[in-house]
Amino acid sequence: MPIFPEVFLLLWAILIFVVDFFLKEEKRKNLGYLSLLGILITIILLFFSAQGEMFGKAYSYDSLSLFFKLVFLLSAFLAISVSIDFVAKFRAFKGEFFGLILFSTVGMMLLSSARELIFLYVSLELVTIPLYVLAAYLKPDRKSAEAGLKYMLLGAISSAILLYGISLIYGITGTTFLLGIKTRLMVDYLQIGPIGPGLFLSFIFFIAGFGFKLALVPFHMWAPDVYEGAPTPITAFLSVGSKAAGLVAFLRVFFESFSVYNPDWVTIVAVLAALSMIIGNIIALLQTNIKRMLAYSSIAQVGYILVGLVAISERGVSSVAFYTLAYLFANLGAFVVAIAFELQTGSSEIKDYSGLSRTSPTLSFLMMIFLLSLVGIPPLAGFVGKYFLFAAAIEKNLIWLVVIAVLTSVISLYYYVDVIREMYFNKKEGGEKIFLPFGIKLALLICIIGVILVGLFPNPFLNLASQAALVFKY
């Protein structure tokens, strides 16, 4: 049964809630390890489940959904792994913390397989509602409460906008199935010709709805405050899992249903990509808090990903999938270091990283590798990912967008290197060695292997991404 991995993980998340009732407080950390076991079993089930369609073709398990499901499960595994010791420090800690991450992951998996708009919308809500709770998890902390409230309010607005888009497209085409919408729009295009105002408005609503999930400029205002206020492992999960979910939903809807009107929406997305790269990188320069810096950096990273997307080609989609994987390892790796540092020092200010290379040389070295990968320095994963993204755009003569991407990458070098400079060239008296719990060591090991392996031996991962891209017709 194609949907069996999602069903299994959903039941495993419920099991986490049930077991939580019977565990003493000092043993709740074990729920984290139980959650990791559930994710590993789900990954195995993914490879043994037959690909196919269900619910009248509203759900489809294909190579695209397989690729992104692996990304979601891996990001959930890393987020839970680093959470085990992090959340145990706080009085608000309950076992449902891990269960909510699993619920959100189930939503992401369903979203990647959605080929019907109502199914897609419900899956998207299953992704975001647990994240609202998790963002406000540290209730006594004012910033955390503000993060949860802000995320929920703006998330509700973006969901309403998306629903407007869905209702408009249903009114125009008479169906909510992606394939049916595509067929109807092709007929309309042949009979009527250019895009009408109603259809154009629905494109705007869809771009705005998904743009919020991706923290795309100008729908990014929630990201810095939510990233800063949420527990850091949840920030890490948001920065990768949530963005990948928005990205796969965007691919499904626009590449499958709206392909006949590509020129009309591609220009809008290309402009938003350029704005995200410019504004994200420039504001990141001004940040003194590493979580806010990574928040603005992630806004810029979405811009880079969209450079490949607007190429509208098999190479473009495969480069988007490949870069998402490279970004997962590098960005989560940087967050894992930040979590380890915050766990011991209670600080996420960049100036407090001063002299870290002397007290914790391994940790500072890993942080340097992750940041350089985010910049795109060879031979790391980020460099290979950006190379494929830019190559896809150049192939389609999007030279102006690639020039902006290259120039903004140079800007990003400044604020990433600023952290490296603090660690290696500034001295600080009285620093102490950062203790690394097992969960954090495991996450760091996975991330550094990923960054180096994807960078030095990209072909197996690129082949997997190319298989995912074959789902669409160009």
Side-chain angles (χ1 to χ4, degrees):
M1 187 169 65
I3 204 172
F4 185 65
E6 285 93 330
V7 173
F8 171 81
L9 192 61
L10 182 68
L11 294 175
W12 198 270
I14 294 170
L15 176 72
I16 297 293
F17 279 84
V18 173
V19 174
D20 184 36
F21 280 115
F22 301 100
L23 277 185
K24 293 181 180 176
E25 190 169 340
E26 62 270 18
K27 292 187 176 179
R28 279 190 176 136
K29 281 173 65 175
N30 294 332
L31 290 173
Y33 296 110
L34 192 63
S35 302
L36 294 181
L37 177 64
I39 292 174
L40 288 176
I41 296 173
T42 308
I43 291 174
I44 295 169
L45 291 175
L46 266 183
F47 288 104
F48 284 96
S49 298
Q51 295 192 2
E53 296 169 333
M54 294 184 70
F55 310 125
K57 297 185 178 180
Y59 172 96
S60 173
Y61 177 30
D62 50 28
S63 53
L64 180 77
S65 57
L66 170 64
F67 186 92
F68 277 93
K69 282 172 187 177
L70 289 174
V71 170
F72 300 142
L73 288 168
L74 197 51
S75 58
F77 185 92
L78 292 169
I80 290 175
S81 181
V82 297
S83 297
I84 293 172
D85 286 279
F86 187 89
V87 294
K89 281 185 65 177
F90 298 100
R91 292 174 63 189
F93 172 57
K94 303 284 184 190
E96 75 257 12
F97 184 90
F98 305 113
L100 288 170
I101 293 178
L102 295 185
F103 273 139
S104 183
T105 309
V106 172
M108 292 174 187
M109 294 172 69
L110 291 172
L111 186 65
S112 68
S113 290
R115 296 185 71 191
E116 195 270 339
L117 291 177
I118 304 301
F119 191 98
L120 182 143
Y121 177 78
V122 173
S123 303
L124 197 60
E125 292 303 298
L126 183 57
V127 173
T128 50
I129 290 173
L131 292 176
Y132 300 152
V133 180
L134 289 167
Y137 199 75
L138 308 175
K139 283 184 291 185
D141 184 85
R142 187 184 62 82
K143 285 187 175 179
S144 182
E146 180 188 341
L149 186 62
K150 188 172 283 185
Y151 192 28
M152 186 188 71
L153 290 175
L154 293 176
I157 293 170
S158 77
S159 295
I161 290 171
L162 188 61
L163 273 178
Y164 272 121
I166 292 173
S167 59
L168 267 175
I169 207 72
Y170 177 72
I172 293 167
T173 64
T175 178
T176 53
F177 282 83
L178 300 184
L179 200 57
I181 292 168
K182 178 183 180 179
T183 306
R184 180 57 194 267
L185 290 182
M186 288 183 78
V187 171
D188 286 352
Y189 182 77
L190 292 172
Q191 291 178 343
I192 304 170
I195 190 169
L199 190 57
F200 185 74
L201 194 58
S202 69
F203 287 176
I204 297 293
F205 283 145
F206 274 100
I207 290 172
F210 293 138
F212 172 84
K213 309 301 177 190
L214 291 167
L216 188 67
V217 173
F219 314 106
H220 67 289
M221 299 306 290
W222 61 275
D225 292 337
V226 173
Y227 277 35
E228 186 181 6
T232 311
I234 298 307
T235 306
F237 188 54
L238 274 172
S239 72
V240 176
S242 175
K243 283 184 187 297
L247 190 63
V248 72
F250 191 100
L251 286 171
R252 283 281 186 202
V253 172
F254 280 83
F255 278 67
E256 193 155 339
S257 294
F258 302 154
S259 54
V260 69
Y261 288 104
N262 280 346
D264 296 291
W265 58 262
V266 160
T267 307
I268 301 170
V269 177
V271 170
L272 296 183
L275 288 174
S276 298
M277 288 186 285
I278 295 168
I279 294 174
N281 279 311
I282 289 176
I283 301 181
L285 282 174
L286 309 173
Q287 304 305 312
T288 57
N289 181 290
I290 199 159
K291 288 166 73 175
R292 290 185 74 87
M293 184 272 278
L294 288 172
Y296 280 106
S297 147
S298 73
I299 292 168
Q301 295 286 343
V302 169
Y304 297 127
I305 292 173
L306 293 186
V307 170
L309 187 144
V310 296
I312 312 289
S313 65
E314 184 185 325
R315 183 193 285 264
V317 174
S318 63
S319 68
V320 165
F322 181 87
Y323 190 76
T324 304
L325 187 67
Y327 172 69
L328 180 153
F329 290 122
N331 201 56
L332 273 176
F335 266 111
V336 174
V337 176
I339 289 165
F341 188 81
E342 187 181 344
L343 192 61
Q344 184 151 324
T345 65
S347 171
S348 55
E349 294 298 315
I350 294 173
K351 64 181 172 58
D352 292 331
Y353 282 70
S354 177
L356 185 66
S357 63
R358 293 172 179 80
T359 55
S360 302
T362 307
L363 197 64
S364 51
F365 178 75
L366 291 176
M367 184 62 147
M368 182 177 69
I369 296 294
F370 296 137
L371 293 177
L372 291 179
S373 180
L374 286 171
V375 177
I377 300 296
L380 302 171
F383 167 76
V384 183
K386 281 188 178 177
Y387 170 80
F388 287 126
L389 286 173
F390 298 168
I394 290 170
E395 198 175 67
K396 295 290 182 177
N397 289 323
L398 292 163
I399 307 298
W400 66 274
L401 196 56
V402 175
V403 170
I404 291 174
V406 172
L407 291 177
T408 52
S409 291
V410 175
I411 295 173
S412 73
L413 184 64
Y414 181 85
Y415 60 78
Y416 286 131
V417 168
D418 187 48
V419 180
I420 298 171
R421 183 179 59 79
E422 284 288 349
M423 293 189 299
Y424 280 91
F425 299 106
N426 284 353
K427 294 181 179 178
K428 182 183 178 182
E429 299 298 329
E432 56 184 51
K433 184 177 174 62
I434 304 294
F435 171 73
L436 298 178
F438 172 76
I440 288 181
K441 283 181 181 172
L442 179 64
L444 283 172
L445 182 66
I446 293 172
C447 289
I448 194 64
I449 289 175
V451 165
I452 293 172
L453 204 62
V454 173
L456 293 178
F457 307 101
N459 285 343
F461 305 100
L462 194 60
N463 290 337
L464 198 61
S466 298
Q467 287 295 318
L470 290 176
V471 167
F472 303 115
K473 291 182 173 58
Y474 305 94

